[in-house]
Amino acid sequence: MELMTPEGGTLFWTALTFIVLLIILRKVAWTPILHMLEERENRIKESLDKAEKARIEAEKTLAEQTEIIISAQKTAREIIGKSQKSAESVKEDIVKQAHLEAEKMIQKAKRDIELSRDKAMEDIQKLAVNLSMTATEKLIGRSLEEKDHKKIISESLSKLEDMN
């Protein structure tokens, strides 16, 4: 039974070692990690601002296309006086083309925004995983196996979500 009961000295040194390790990790690992996350957050905000500018530009282009459609309709009305059938055909072609171009531009802007957001999220996730794995390997002093990686990743991600 004596082996099962810890001595006071062992408890003291274990607690002291744990506290010192915690302080070192806070200074060495936690602060740089937070700094990198803030930098990444700023880059994401810049990307979102750029995406918003692209969306505004797409709306301007849509307005220009609308003006083109209105102009095409006026031209079509003039042609109606000359030839009803040919004017109707020209009007439909111009409207369809303008709508297709406007739709393509809107879809492109949406894709660009989505791709930027997805890439930013993927980069943050990779960074968090790499930092967690490096810190964990340094903490335990050995390389981890694949099953350890998955367990540590899921635990780290859940802790990060709890922090937010």
Side-chain angles (χ1 to χ4, degrees):
M1 253 349 215
E2 288 180 21
L3 294 175
M4 298 295 282
T5 58
E7 295 179 14
T10 304
L11 285 174
F12 171 76
W13 286 110
T14 302
L16 181 65
T17 303
F18 180 75
I19 291 170
V20 169
L21 182 62
L22 217 82
I23 292 169
I24 290 171
L25 282 177
R26 183 169 186 174
K27 295 221 182 253
V28 174
W30 188 250
T31 304
I33 289 171
L34 288 178
H35 180 67
M36 284 189 278
L37 287 175
E38 287 174 7
E39 288 177 2
R40 186 65 186 160
E41 181 180 354
N42 290 336
R43 281 187 263 158
I44 290 170
K45 285 179 183 177
E46 289 173 5
S47 295
L48 290 175
D49 289 342
K50 288 178 184 178
E52 180 64 21
K53 288 178 184 176
R55 185 190 61 80
I56 290 170
E57 185 64 32
E59 288 175 357
K60 286 180 185 178
T61 305
L62 180 62
E64 291 172 3
Q65 291 295 328
T66 304
E67 290 176 16
I68 290 171
I69 291 171
I70 292 170
S71 174
Q73 288 173 344
K74 288 180 184 177
T75 303
R77 287 187 201 116
E78 292 173 5
I79 295 173
I80 287 175
K82 296 176 184 174
S83 171
Q84 183 72 27
K85 290 182 181 182
S86 65
E88 199 61 34
S89 173
V90 169
K91 177 183 172 186
E92 289 176 9
D93 289 344
I94 291 173
V95 170
K96 284 180 184 177
Q97 182 180 2
H99 281 294
L100 287 175
E101 288 179 17
E103 186 63 32
K104 285 179 185 177
M105 294 176 90
I106 290 171
Q107 291 300 323
K108 184 182 183 302
K110 286 180 181 179
R111 278 193 310 271
D112 290 345
I113 291 168
E114 188 69 26
L115 287 173
S116 294
R117 184 183 62 80
D118 289 346
K119 176 146 179 40
M121 292 302 291
E122 180 179 306
D123 288 346
I124 287 174
Q125 203 170 36
K126 285 180 182 177
L127 177 64
V129 168
N130 287 337
L131 288 174
S132 296
M133 294 309 300
T134 302
T136 304
E137 287 179 2
K138 285 183 180 182
L139 278 174
I140 64 173
R142 66 177 176 91
S143 182
L144 300 174
E145 296 178 4
E146 185 67 30
K147 65 180 180 178
D148 295 329
H149 285 263
K150 290 179 183 176
K151 180 180 178 185
I152 291 170
I153 289 169
S154 63
E155 289 175 2
S156 297
L157 289 177
S158 67
K159 286 180 182 178
L160 283 175
E161 290 174 2
D162 291 343
M163 287 180 165
N164 292 333

